[in-house]
Amino acid sequence: MLTTLRIIIASLIMHLPNSISYAQEIDPGIATAHPLASKAGYEVLASGGNSFDAAVAISAVLSVVEPYSSGLGGGGFFLLYDSTSKDSVFIDAREKAPSNASRDMYLDNDGNVIRRASLDGPMAAGIPGLPAALHHIAKNHGTMPLYRLLQPAIRLAREGFPAYERLVTAVMIADKSKSLSPKFKEIFLPNDKAPIIGQIIRQPELAKTLEILASSGHAGFYDSFFTKAMVEESQRDGSIWEIEDFKSYSVIEREPIKLNFLGAELTMAPPPSSGGTTIGSVLNILSEFDFLGMSFSEKVHLITESMRRAFKDRAFYLGDPDFVDVPIGKLISKEYASKLAESINLDKATPIHEEDEIDGSIGWNEGAHTTHFSILDNNGNRAAVTQTINTWFGSGYMLPSSGLILNNEMDDFASKPLSPNSYGLIHGEQNSIQPNKRMLSSMTPTFIESDRGIAILGTPGGARIISMVLLSIIDYLTGGDAQSMTASKRFHHQFLPDVIRYEKDAFTNDVKEDLQMKGHNLQEISNYGNMQVVTFDNATGETESSSDPRGLIEGFEIDFY
Ligand code: GLY
């Protein structure tokens, strides 16, 4: 088997992959956004760890080698399936608002949103959740000690890794778009210069922080001398964090959302993710029509009209379920979908009603940050994980002594209800800022189980995460595979602004004409997303891992032994 593995791995090296799989009774599969993360996960599986062990190792490595996307200064959602108990659990490691936060903290005296106040610097940061998740998963779901699982990340932070194109681009975008803190610049822009490709990036302070987490676990990060130093440092630079905010932080195990569509069972992210309910609502609406019998253009129209309605509900009903009543049952019920379906005209786009005319002239966020990975182990345990620090390099602020890049997740709250955030998403009072509340998210780690097999999927991409996962679910359940799920062209509508955004070549000219005739506004945008999919086929027994071709990272020689 070792020889087979070496051959597969050799071919992967030639193609500089992000995803790997190998042959056993169930072939394990891993798809991540970075080859070094896939390697760390593979090594855990090869040394007897399960998917949950691998998830911890991969999560930590991505925090080091994809510092623009996610990290210990941020949060994430871990969807886990245990093949022994046959249960899925959703681990909510979302950041929460500091206890000193308040509803109008980002408004000026006239009640207007202060530009970039919820995006830049330590005031934009929620209390991080990712370190708590790593400890929790290793302790409660894994089989290996956290200390061991964090070693690859510690090594990469201390000894460094080579800069690659996406990282360099992210540094340049961050440098242009936000003010970066001195420590951040010392690591990523020494002498005010972005790294060149191949330059070794070392993060010694982050290595020490990972070591503290590795040796002292949750308490080491959330309730120790280290926590005190971190909070005092952030306060000196303007944060409103308190030590108590860390002491009281814990992950929450929640029931995932389950839904049936085209005979398959979907397991999806519940609030404070908006993904499961929004996708559930769209799929239920599609089920009210002869969706499979429609032409492509008719399908795009119906999916768009369904997204228009589901994203409107996202804006007005969704928030942290521990703080506000979220009518999940209603939003994913067949009865509600049937009511929404009645309002859809198959020949005409629904005009935005006057009362819904909220500023549609928002900016657009590329949505390539945040990261997702999918894992299947040889016992059939699964992990779908999406983690984030929000926009490129989060708040752009690095805590000097711990090397943590702080998230800017506070921007996922409604700074002012019905004012668009950096993804152009609007939110209502349900998602307004309250002390200790979790901000709404679009991250949507997902499992599909059908007669055909299983799929484990997710992607970064801000609001577009939801439509990307939706389109991939539809693709898989209508005959697509892991490759087509990651590679197919995408389109998106999010209620406001009232426009279908699509990738080049997503629509033929005929389809565009047809959609315009129906009254849709169209806008071509650059490619987006970085989906990571693992599938298992019941009939052939084959596992397929696929990383989004849009996100492939080149230049890494992978040595698995
Ligand atoms: N920060 C992006 C999201 O959670 O949706």
Side-chain angles (χ1 to χ4, degrees), residues 147 150 154 158 206-216:
Y147 185 83
L150 294 187
I154 293 171
R158 190 188 306 113
L206 182 60
K208 278 191 213 139
T209 299
L210 281 160
E211 268 166 358
I212 289 171
L213 184 63
S215 52
S216 307

Side-chain angles (χ1 to χ4, degrees), residues 77 94-95 272-274 314 369-370 386-391 408-409 411-412 421-423 425 439-444 461-463 465-466:
F77 294 145
R94 186 67 163 159
E95 301 91 332
S273 167
S274 54
R314 179 196 187 281
H369 30 70
T370 304
T386 314
Q387 58 186 48
T388 188
I389 50 173
N390 202 18
T391 62
N408 58 358
E409 224 70 63
D411 190 61
D412 276 345
N421 74 356
S422 68
Y423 299 103
L425 286 167
M439 56 296 282
L440 194 61
S441 172
S442 298
M443 294 187 291
T444 313
I465 289 173
I466 296 173

Side-chain angles (χ1 to χ4, degrees), residues 74-235:
F77 294 145
F78 292 69
L79 184 62
L80 310 180
Y81 171 81
D82 182 324
S83 62
T84 307
S85 66
K86 309 226 175 307
D87 277 340
S88 297
V89 64
F90 176 80
I91 296 169
D92 169 358
R94 186 67 163 159
E95 301 91 332
K96 61 173 193 170
S99 53
N100 287 326
S102 56
R103 182 184 181 279
D104 297 336
M105 64 189 275
Y106 299 118
L107 302 186
D108 64 18
N109 290 339
D110 297 327
N112 297 316
V113 177
I114 304 167
R115 207 178 153 269
R116 298 201 64 85
S118 59
L119 284 165
D120 294 343
M123 270 294 277
I127 306 302
L130 202 69
L134 300 186
H135 171 92
H136 178 88
I137 291 164
K139 181 162 173 254
N140 298 293
H141 300 275
T143 62
M144 291 179 167
L146 180 63
Y147 185 83
R148 178 168 170 191
L149 297 172
L150 294 187
Q151 291 312 308
I154 293 171
R155 203 170 44 248
L156 285 162
R158 190 188 306 113
E159 294 170 13
F161 66 93
Y164 50 95
E165 195 180 340
R166 183 175 275 239
L167 172 71
V168 173
T169 307
V171 170
M172 292 192 298
I173 291 175
D175 192 28
K176 270 203 196 120
S177 61
K178 57 183 83 175
S179 108
L180 300 165
S181 73
K183 187 70 191 181
F184 181 97
K185 287 192 162 189
E186 186 188 313
I187 301 285
F188 293 107
L189 278 154
N191 305 316
D192 269 339
K193 282 205 186 92
I196 55 168
I197 292 172
Q199 187 173 322
I200 299 299
I201 307 286
R202 292 189 182 83
Q203 300 170 82
E205 294 82 6
L206 182 60
K208 278 191 213 139
T209 299
L210 281 160
E211 268 166 358
I212 289 171
L213 184 63
S215 52
S216 307
H218 184 101
F221 190 89
Y222 290 92
D223 189 8
S224 72
F225 69 93
F226 171 82
T227 323
K228 188 164 177 286
M230 196 165 53
V231 169
E232 284 173 0
E233 208 166 51
S234 75
Q235 285 174 348

Side-chain angles (χ1 to χ4, degrees), residues 295-298 300-301 304 347 349 489-491 500-525:
S295 70
F296 178 67
S297 177
E298 288 167 337
V300 174
H301 171 70
T304 300
D347 298 319
K489 294 295 175 185
R490 298 168 173 149
F491 64 93
I500 302 177
R501 275 155 169 154
Y502 64 95
E503 290 183 327
K504 186 171 185 308
D505 298 331
F507 303 143
T508 61
N509 285 340
D510 284 353
V511 169
K512 279 187 233 171
E513 254 172 46
D514 192 44
L515 291 169
Q516 277 163 335
M517 291 270 290
K518 287 187 163 91
H520 292 288
N521 304 309
L522 301 182
Q523 184 189 4
E524 184 181 308
I525 56 171

